[in-house]
Amino acid sequence: MIKITFPDKSVKEFESGITGFEIAKGISSRLAKEALSVGVNGEIYDLLRPITTNAKIAVYKWEDKQGKDTFWHSSAHLMAEAIESFWPGVKLWVGPSVDSGFYYDVDFPEGMAITEKDFPKIEKKMLELAQKKNQYIRSEVAKEEALKHYTEKGDEFKVDLINGLEDGTITFYTQGDFTDLCKGPHLLDTGYIKAIKLMSIAGAYWKGDENNKQLTRVYGITFPKKKLLDEYLVMLEEAKKRDHRKIGKELELFTFSSRVGLGLPLWLPKGAKLKERLENFLKKVQIEYGYEPVITPHIGLKELWEISGHYAKYGKDSFQSIKTPAEGEEFLLKPMNCPHHCEIYKCKPHSYRDLPIRYAEFGTVYRYEQSGELHGLTRVRGFTQDDAHIFCRPDQLKEEFIKVIDIVLYIFKTLDFENFTTQISLRDKEDKEKYIGSDENWEKSEQAIIEVCEEKGLKTTVEIGEAAFYGPKLDFMVKDALGRSWQLGTIQVDYNLPERFELEYTGSDNEKHRPVMIHRAPFGSMERFIAVLTEHTAGKFPLWLTSEQAVILPISERFNDYAKEVMNKLKLTDVRVTVDDRNEKIGKKIRDNEVKRIPFMLIVGEKEVEGNTLSVRKQGEGDIGTMTIDEFSNFINNRVAEELK
RNA sequence: GCCGAUAUAGCUCAGUUGGCCAGAGCAGCUGAUUUGUAAUCAGCCGGUCGGCGGUUCGAAUCCGUCUAUCGGCUCCA
């Protein structure tokens, strides 16, 4: 007998070899019907895989991430089966589930290819196969046998996979006529899969290494009900409407020009005002936190980055140097502001009493991103960092780091970013060539970040090998409308640049000491932040931030003078307002300004002129009543104050 | 940079198997209308059909190439 512990902590005894399916059935027939896989001591099992030890179990359904993973992984096998039936001779690499759906990496033989035109026939075939309710059958295979099988088949991919596995852990899964090396788990049978949509084709390097052969990656998604697929497709359409590239165009925030160059955003007046307002917001916060503004040029001598180590690492994949008439003189466009700030620090001697020193600058930097990598405002070649460098004593590091976290959290709270995640990026100790600086300093900085996050109670994930080459970092990530994750705020601890630039301060012991440096950018980049904010708000920016808070709509041209009078009065009280004095009907003006997402519309006609009032209409909601000019002005300014609290 | 798809007016899109001067709606301009809570009417303007080269009597349409965009991969100081 074995002991099974349920999620509610209750314990029951079963015969050894009982399956998740039987346990679920014992609870209710409905649960058995909905169950997709079962968690056994943290591992995910097929429903029919015997459980032979005492275990904590959890039954996973579609609603659970693990359930979806099982569902989509089985779907990947189903797709592979369909693809193999049309293109015999294809070699399969891996087919995992992803956030929404699954993919399979496939190597098509020379001269064979799949296109999106093939999707309908593959989907149809998959549905046919699904309806056969073929069972997914697990079998354990000896390593030698597995190797032999795939060597004979000439499948170098699977041979490579198996070589990386230990004997005794190798399993195959078979459904219908299709067998694949796989550790599972899988659904009971293909019949669970009711709705199928192949999404796209992409190239993907084998093992993620760009020196390797490129395989064809086919993305798809499946559902246990047709209705769920329809809903998903509607959701995708909705998400597209929030795309910052689309809204940016509609609201005239920014544009690009192929003549100016790829990835170099041009801010239009409305976007520029928004960006400026956002910068002023942070400037104000930074003053409270003791930052001091500095301004540095957009270029610097090449030597500057040779000292920092950036040139050795990124020089040849970057914008190339700017030459001057002087022999041998070379400048680089600055890819970051740190070296300039280090030089500012060095302009005079510092006492331990001066520290921490916090230099802040909205610095525009240029990085030559690969062309295929550019993406709207989220990945560009020229962007403004809300950068600052904090030079502090080692004993101040923690406190300073915490203060930076507070700034980031304050910003996220003010802008309603609730669903952010935080990631600690550490170096990969196995791959020391990628990093500069001593082990001791790395240990110190990594430890500092981990401790601080613990103290602040941040829920973090730790990624090994994701650190910057000069130090570990803490990143704040937010998802865009389509669920793609973007890094916004970043905080980095750096012992290396102070070393390289020989930064010093005089301690209380009258000896020279090396300061620690914190790089930080709460927004990350203004461009990316505005992109993500645009998608987050669907272009309905908060009142304090938006360029036009209200627009006055005269009923007819007869009321244009009154409208202008109102506008001037409101402007005196810092309300950002314009007049729509076009010769159009009121319905048309309302519609146009609704589409422009102006938060408030102020309608003025006969009644308003007589009563010296405004009819206020809220964007997306409709008429909210009559106010005097003063009342409206207070209304707006109170709301702005509330938002910025 | 790599794989795949796409490229028609400022924007969103039609354009059948190659065949008359390449179309529509919105935006813009002109005029009429003077309007009460999501589109008033009429007229006009606007395009080397992404660039270049080829096939053809004839190319937006077929082929090649370059560029850009989109979806991924790799990368992201």
Side-chain angles (χ1 to χ4, degrees), chain A residues 9 310 568 581:
Chain A
K9 304 266 175 5
H310 289 102
N568 290 333
D581 59 3

Side-chain angles (χ1 to χ4, degrees), chain A residues 581-596:
Chain A
D581 59 3
R582 292 175 304 161
N583 177 11
E584 293 289 353
K585 291 175 79 167
I586 193 69
K588 168 80 165 170
K589 291 187 188 180
I590 288 171
R591 188 191 141 74
D592 287 349
N593 287 291
E594 282 279 346
V595 171
K596 280 162 76 184

